[in-house]
């Protein structure tokens, strides 16, 4: 039944119960603050003794009028005829209170007891208890009659002196706490859903989202909507991969044909530039396809020696470029990753340093459970305000990295995508010689 309640209905119930608890607490506070006044409303021993003396001195035919004269809603005396048995019928009052009244009555027989005024107090005296300010006096007059006086205060107070409303306030507080627990139970599935959505990994299989039959209809609908969204995202990702793969294959075929035709160009310079453009186009397609594979989690996983892979990339360029490497004594730096992707990362960093900084100083350093690969150049460097932007696609420095110098602004973006797919990170800083320093941190296997 509760599972059909909407969030609005449940929150409305919570608010109503909470307001009720506040009202009950306020009433209990009012009772508590007026407890002293209620206690003072209890008749004093002198008052009771004066009424007894008055009734005894009044002629029998005038006693009814005298009783009416001294009666009030909080003080109700009545006269019982002679011969009534003076036996207690309720819980007796404490001896110290009774002693005060007995002393004032000058030896007259007195029975003083608590008198519950609520039916629940008569049926369940241990639960409700008698009211501490509701007393019944049974006083034996000198003429043989019995004067019975029922008294009560302006406020009901339990025998312990605690206002009756305080118990209701306690109950309301407990109900409010229960309402808070219910509210927590209703919002907890939403928190679990948010955590599950944050943990969705598009590189793996669709993750099941938390479900619970007792949730509100809106929560169940929200979970189902996220599941459909997740399925659509996985479908779109697979479709994108298929599209990029098909385009890359077809463009590579056309580029190969074009290169064969370029060989027929008579001018050596034009032919070399055309071949270089075709190679750049193919490399751009390969980078885009590799980046897409990284985003889809389709990279291969094998144990790779980072030092050997770096050394191979440096040696490929050492014959014709200003490039050096410092392994810093790191011999066994094994990581789990895709060899082709890591080669592209190192190649992009070294080529960028050579192209824009005229030199590439490669270093490998151990950082506890990680390994850092840093590439420094000797160029003008990258301003601190633009370093984060350089890791975004199609971002270039206009002054030193224009289109005339080559590049479409994808090199560092692809490096970042591939490194993050391996659980690492990329940072850009300032080199010792003033150029740019790009550091890649990868977790060791």
């Amino acid at each position: 039944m509760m599972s059909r309640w909407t969030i609005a209905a449940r929150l409305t119930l919570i608010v109503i119960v909470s307001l009720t608890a506040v009202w009950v607490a306020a009433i209990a506070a009012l009772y508590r603050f007026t407890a002293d006044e209620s206690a003072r409303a209890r008749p004093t021993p002198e008052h009771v003794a004066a009424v007894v003396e008055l009734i005894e001195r009044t002629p029998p035919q005038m006693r009814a009028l005298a009783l009416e004269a001294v009666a009030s809603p909080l003080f109700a005396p009545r006269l019982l005829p002679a011969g009534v048995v003076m036996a207690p019928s309720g819980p007796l009052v404490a001896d110290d209170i009774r002693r005060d009244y007995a002393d004032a009555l000058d030896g007259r027989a007195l029975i003083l007891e608590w008198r519950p005024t609520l039916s629940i107090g008569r049926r369940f005296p241990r639960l409700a208890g008698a009211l501490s300010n509701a007393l019944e006096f049974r006083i034996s007059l000198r003429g043989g009659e019995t004067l019975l006086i029922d008294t009560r205060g302006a406020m009901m107070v339990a025998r312990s002196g605690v206002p009756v409303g305080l118990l209701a306030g306690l109950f309301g507080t407990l109900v409010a706490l229960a309402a808070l627990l219910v509210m927590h139970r209703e919002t907890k599935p939403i928190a679990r859903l948010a955590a599950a959505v944050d943990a969705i990994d598009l590189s793996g299989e669709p993750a099941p989202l938390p479900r619970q039959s007792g949730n509100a209809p809106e929560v169940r609908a929200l979970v189902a909507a996220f599941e459909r969204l997740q399925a659509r995202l996985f479908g779109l990702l697979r479709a994108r991969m298929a599209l990029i793969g098909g385009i890359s294959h077809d463009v590579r075929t056309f580029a190969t044909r074009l290169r064969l035709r370029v060989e027929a160009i008579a001018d050596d310079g034009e032919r070399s530039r055309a071949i270089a453009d075709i190679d750049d186009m193919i490399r751009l397609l390969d980078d885009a396809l590799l980046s897409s594979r990284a985003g889809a989690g389709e990279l291969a996983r094998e144990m790779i020696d980072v030092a050997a892979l770096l050394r191979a990339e440096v040696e490929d360029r050492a014959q014709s470029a200003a490039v050096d490497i410092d392994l810093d004594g790191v011999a066994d730096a094994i990581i789990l990753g895709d060899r082709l992707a890591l080669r592209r990362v190192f190649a992009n960093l070294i080529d960028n340093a050579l192209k824009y900084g005229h030199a590439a100083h490669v270093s490998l350093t151990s950082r506890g459970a990680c390994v850092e690969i840093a590439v420094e150049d000797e160029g003008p460097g990258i301003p601190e305000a633009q370093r984060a932007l350089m890791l975004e696609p199609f971002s270039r420095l206009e002054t030193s990295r224009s289109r005339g110098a080559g590049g479409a602004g994808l090199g560092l973006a692809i490096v970042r995508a591939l490194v993050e797919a391996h659980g690492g990170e990329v940072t850009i800083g300032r080199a010792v010689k003033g150029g740019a320093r790009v550091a890649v941190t990868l977790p060791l296997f």
Side-chain angles (χ1 to χ4, degrees):
M1 183 66 180
M2 189 67 177
S3 62
R4 298 181 180 178
W5 286 33
T6 64
I7 290 181
R10 299 180 189 207
L11 291 181
T12 301
L13 176 63
I14 291 171
V15 171
I16 292 175
V17 171
S18 301
L19 288 177
T20 304
V22 171
W23 275 106
V24 172
I27 294 174
L30 176 63
Y31 271 82
R32 185 67 187 90
F33 291 142
T34 57
D36 293 339
E37 180 181 351
S38 178
R40 287 194 298 269
R42 181 189 302 167
T44 63
E46 293 75 13
H47 182 199
V48 174
V51 171
V52 170
E53 189 74 22
L54 174 65
I55 298 302
E56 285 182 339
R57 294 186 181 185
T58 301
Q61 64 272 17
M62 300 295 292
R63 286 181 177 179
L65 185 60
L67 291 174
E68 186 176 353
V70 298
S72 71
L74 306 180
F75 189 89
R78 56 193 175 98
L79 195 61
L80 302 179
V84 175
V85 179
M86 292 277 290
S89 60
L92 296 178
V93 177
D95 290 340
D96 56 343
I97 300 177
R98 183 186 178 283
R99 189 180 305 112
D100 293 339
Y101 286 102
D103 292 343
L105 291 175
D106 194 19
R108 295 178 179 87
L110 169 66
I111 294 179
L112 184 59
E113 59 186 20
W114 302 113
R115 179 56 60 190
T117 58
L118 300 175
S119 59
I120 187 174
R122 298 189 182 94
R123 296 181 182 180
F124 308 99
R126 293 185 179 275
L127 176 63
L131 300 175
S132 65
N133 53 353
L135 299 176
E136 183 180 272
F137 295 81
R138 293 189 183 188
I139 306 169
S140 179
L141 303 181
R142 300 192 189 282
E145 300 90 345
T146 298
L147 180 63
L148 189 145
I149 303 175
D150 283 330
T151 66
R152 68 190 67 187
M155 179 187 68
M156 295 185 296
V157 180
R159 184 183 305 171
S160 62
V162 178
V164 175
L166 186 60
L167 300 178
L170 261 187
F171 175 75
T173 302
L174 293 177
V175 173
L177 290 176
L180 289 176
L181 293 177
V182 172
M183 183 176 67
H184 175 71
R185 177 183 178 275
E186 295 304 318
T187 56
K188 192 173 181 180
I190 300 178
R192 288 201 304 265
L193 175 62
V197 171
D198 284 339
I200 289 178
D201 184 9
L202 295 179
S203 62
E205 292 298 322
L209 299 181
R211 285 181 175 273
Q212 190 172 343
S213 58
N215 291 340
E218 292 90 343
V219 176
R220 294 198 299 269
L222 183 62
V223 172
F226 271 106
E227 284 186 341
R228 293 192 296 270
L229 176 62
Q230 183 180 203
R232 287 198 296 269
L233 287 175
F234 275 91
L236 289 173
L237 187 61
R238 293 190 180 95
R240 187 188 72 169
M241 285 297 302
L243 177 64
I244 294 178
I247 293 176
S248 177
H249 178 270
D250 291 342
V251 172
R252 184 185 294 275
T253 302
F254 296 144
T256 302
R257 296 176 184 175
L258 184 59
R259 182 164 183 174
L260 292 175
R261 293 190 176 94
V262 165
E263 295 293 341
I265 298 177
D267 187 273
D268 293 339
E270 290 294 333
R271 183 172 62 252
S272 298
R273 284 191 291 271
I275 292 175
D277 289 341
I278 295 173
D279 291 341
D280 288 342
M281 181 177 63
I282 294 176
R283 179 172 179 175
L284 181 61
L285 287 171
D286 290 341
D287 285 346
L289 181 60
L290 192 58
S291 179
S292 298
R293 287 177 53 203
E298 296 184 0
L299 294 178
R301 287 291 185 267
E302 61 177 303
M303 296 176 64
I304 300 172
D305 186 346
V306 180
L309 194 62
L310 267 179
R311 192 182 297 109
E313 290 297 323
V314 170
E315 289 175 354
D316 288 344
R317 296 162 178 79
Q319 301 299 327
S320 58
V323 57
D324 58 75
I325 185 171
D326 179 12
L327 298 180
D328 195 23
V330 180
D332 297 324
I334 306 299
I335 66 172
L336 191 65
D338 187 293
R339 184 177 298 274
L340 179 60
L342 292 177
R343 286 192 61 184
R344 186 57 51 86
V345 168
F346 302 152
N348 281 2
L349 294 181
I350 295 173
D351 290 344
N352 280 349
L354 293 174
K355 183 183 296 184
Y356 304 115
H358 316 298
H361 305 292
V362 184
S363 63
L364 179 65
T365 309
S366 178
R367 303 290 185 190
C370 300
V371 63
E372 182 187 78
I373 301 97
V375 179
E376 299 182 358
D377 60 40
E378 299 176 4
I382 301 176
E384 185 175 357
Q386 294 182 307
R387 290 172 185 172
L389 186 62
M390 291 300 100
L391 297 175
E392 300 297 329
F394 306 106
S395 297
R396 295 167 291 104
L397 289 177
E398 294 297 334
T399 55
S400 62
R401 302 190 179 190
S402 64
R403 292 188 181 274
L410 290 175
L412 290 179
I414 292 172
V415 167
R416 176 186 179 183
L418 296 179
V419 170
E420 289 180 351
H422 285 80
E425 63 176 348
V426 182
T427 56
I428 300 177
R430 183 177 180 84
V432 177
K433 297 183 179 181
R437 183 181 189 273
V438 183
V440 171
T441 303
L442 294 171
L444 289 170
F445 177 70

